[in-house]
Amino acid sequence: MPKLIIDNQEVEVDQGATLVQAAGQLGIDIPTMCCVQDVSPCTSCMVCVVRLVGRENLVPACATIAADGMQIDTCSDEVTAARRTNLELLLSDHVGDCIAPCQMADPNNANIPAIIRCIAAGDSAAATKLLRGDIANIDGAKPQRACRRARKDQPVAVDLLLKFAAAQANGESGGPKDETKRFSVHIGKLSETELERFMTGISPDQQVTPADPGAGYTPEEAAAEAKRCMHCDCRKADNCKLRDYAEAYQAKPAHFRSQRREFVQDLEHPDVIYEPGKCICCGLCVRITEQEGEEFALSFVGRGFGVQVAPSLDKNISQALQKAADRCVQTCPTGALAMRK
Ligand code: SF4
Ligand code: SF4
């Protein structure tokens, strides 16, 4: 069995183990995005690079087999800087918002789009649980001013919706105010075409006015107003490896940024949202749809910078993800594939 040194610690591994697995035996966590168990790595993200002493270039730990006598360095400044650069390259082509504009503007940092989805679904108890801060004095004025829908016609009445959720509290309190400032990327100004795309499936009606302004929204009025929300948030903001690693390695999203690509949301699938602008072309979903025997498996289409993941034979994402939707969403390292709910 090969014996090697990783960060000055000796480890003996099974024949055929990768450097990621060898480091794991020592409790050393090497970041990986395009490599998971049971799916062969395609070494596309290069965030797992390490220094193999004696080699000129850094090597991808996910695809390098441990050999007897190797000396590996996983945490020098050189390795950290290379990982940061590789993350910044991935972010240079990333288009999407981690956090919706309304949540960005909320002093309590509540997940306002999720609250609105609960109200639209008639689940006001779940909406109340997502409120943050002093819910007796909840104030949605700032989030409402930041609402993206204002560019189309009128903002979503966030203030009234939050007050509606707070009024359903029945003595329950929301979560504490959250002052954590997490890493976030933002689309910036939307083009007219992008704005129209955001409106797909959204109520085209004007803001709902409560019949009794003093009492606020009834459940029916609140649900109707909630259906005007464009849901600008990323559904995987709290489960995104790209965001987690970008934060950990202090990557700067604008470092290599040029002209951004168009923001596209594919809503053909009943349960899954596909946002190609968040795809890092890791190929995991491509290999999973093959493994699962999807008839119209996902594949890479296009060339060079235009390459993207799409269903084969001009089929749609709903036809491509008939059996493998859950596994693809769970495995996708970014918000490119996410569940709607
Ligand atoms: S449309 Fe909805 S998610 Fe987007 S900013 Fe307005 S309230 Fe927030
Ligand atoms: S959609 Fe997700 S899993 Fe598929 S290639 Fe893109 S980033 Fe990877």
Side-chain angles (χ1 to χ4, degrees):
M1 296 215 297
K3 270 191 198 160
L4 62 161
I5 309 279
I6 304 181
D7 295 344
N8 301 319
Q9 301 175 68
E10 191 177 76
V11 63
E12 189 172 290
V13 298
D14 289 339
Q15 205 73 42
T18 64
L19 294 183
V20 168
Q21 291 163 335
Q25 272 183 232
L26 291 168
I28 298 168
D29 189 22
I30 295 180
T32 57
M33 294 185 71
C34 62
C35 156
V36 293
Q37 214 176 351
D38 301 328
V39 186
S40 55
C42 76
T43 56
S44 63
C45 75
M46 298 300 275
V47 297
C48 67
V49 287
V50 294
R51 161 67 61 203
L52 169 53
V53 176
R55 277 276 186 94
E56 199 177 324
N57 299 326
L58 299 180
V59 297
C62 70
T64 305
I65 302 299
D68 210 38
M70 274 181 170
Q71 279 190 50
I72 308 295
D73 168 16
T74 76
C75 58
S76 64
D77 288 350
E78 177 200 27
V79 167
T80 303
R83 289 180 186 165
R84 184 183 306 118
T85 298
N86 293 338
L87 285 163
E88 287 171 346
L89 287 167
L90 294 175
L91 288 164
S92 69
D93 203 23
H94 184 89
V95 51
D97 288 318
C98 294
I99 301 293
C102 53
Q103 181 172 350
M104 290 293 293
D106 180 18
N108 291 318
N109 194 16
N111 188 340
I112 292 172
I115 293 171
I116 294 178
R117 282 193 281 281
C118 293
I119 296 174
D123 191 349
S124 50
T128 302
K129 285 201 182 95
L130 291 169
L131 292 173
R132 286 181 180 275
D134 174 9
I135 65 171
N137 295 303
I138 207 94
D139 180 4
K142 277 193 184 162
Q144 185 164 319
R145 279 200 293 278
C147 174
R148 182 170 272 151
R149 172 104 191 218
R151 271 220 32 227
K152 175 72 187 163
D153 43 28
Q154 294 170 300
V156 174
V158 178
D159 199 8
L160 287 173
L161 288 173
L162 293 185
K163 283 183 177 152
F164 168 79
Q168 315 300 308
N170 286 331
E172 278 195 56
S173 54
K177 180 175 176 162
D178 180 1
E179 292 182 279
T180 330
K181 280 274 168 268
R182 283 213 57 197
F183 173 94
S184 265
V185 290
H186 308 289
I187 301 180
K189 194 171 176 211
L190 296 181
S191 68
E192 288 304 320
T193 322
E194 289 171 326
L195 194 58
E196 285 311 317
R197 280 204 203 107
F198 258 107
M199 290 295 294
T200 312
I202 303 304
S203 163
D205 298 341
Q206 297 288 307
Q207 226 180 53
V208 176
T209 308
D212 177 355
Y217 279 147
T218 63
E220 294 72 29
E221 288 167 342
E225 180 61 17
K227 288 181 181 139
R228 296 183 64 244
C229 176
M230 298 154 81
H231 302 288
C232 315
D233 56 323
C234 175
R235 311 294 162 87
K236 278 176 76 183
D238 294 323
N239 184 21
C240 172
K241 282 186 166 186
L242 182 58
R243 189 178 188 212
D244 292 344
Y245 291 144
E247 196 162 74
Y249 284 86
Q250 299 179 1
K252 294 188 175 53
H255 198 154
F256 296 110
R257 182 157 292 163
S258 51
Q259 206 179 359
R260 79 162 168 86
R261 27 174 180 164
E262 280 219 334
F263 180 77
V264 177
Q265 243 183 2
D266 183 333
L267 300 169
E268 291 277 359
H269 196 286
D271 302 319
V272 176
I273 301 177
Y274 174 41
E275 295 181 345
K278 296 178 181 171
C279 173
I280 59 163
C281 288
C282 70
L284 288 172
C285 60
V286 171
R287 298 198 293 288
I288 289 171
T289 52
E290 281 166 11
Q291 275 184 1
E292 299 278 337
E294 288 283 9
E295 193 179 353
F296 306 110
L298 293 169
S299 58
F300 289 111
V301 296
R303 289 164 163 231
F305 289 117
V307 74
Q308 69 173 48
V309 165
S312 50
L313 301 174
D314 288 331
K315 298 291 176 187
N316 65 36
I317 195 90
S318 183
Q319 293 161 303
L321 294 180
Q322 300 208 0
K323 306 179 215 168
D326 280 352
R327 201 172 153 211
C328 285
V329 167
Q330 275 164 27
T331 311
C332 176
T334 72
L337 286 171
M339 285 296 173
R340 281 172 188 251
K341 291 192 178 139

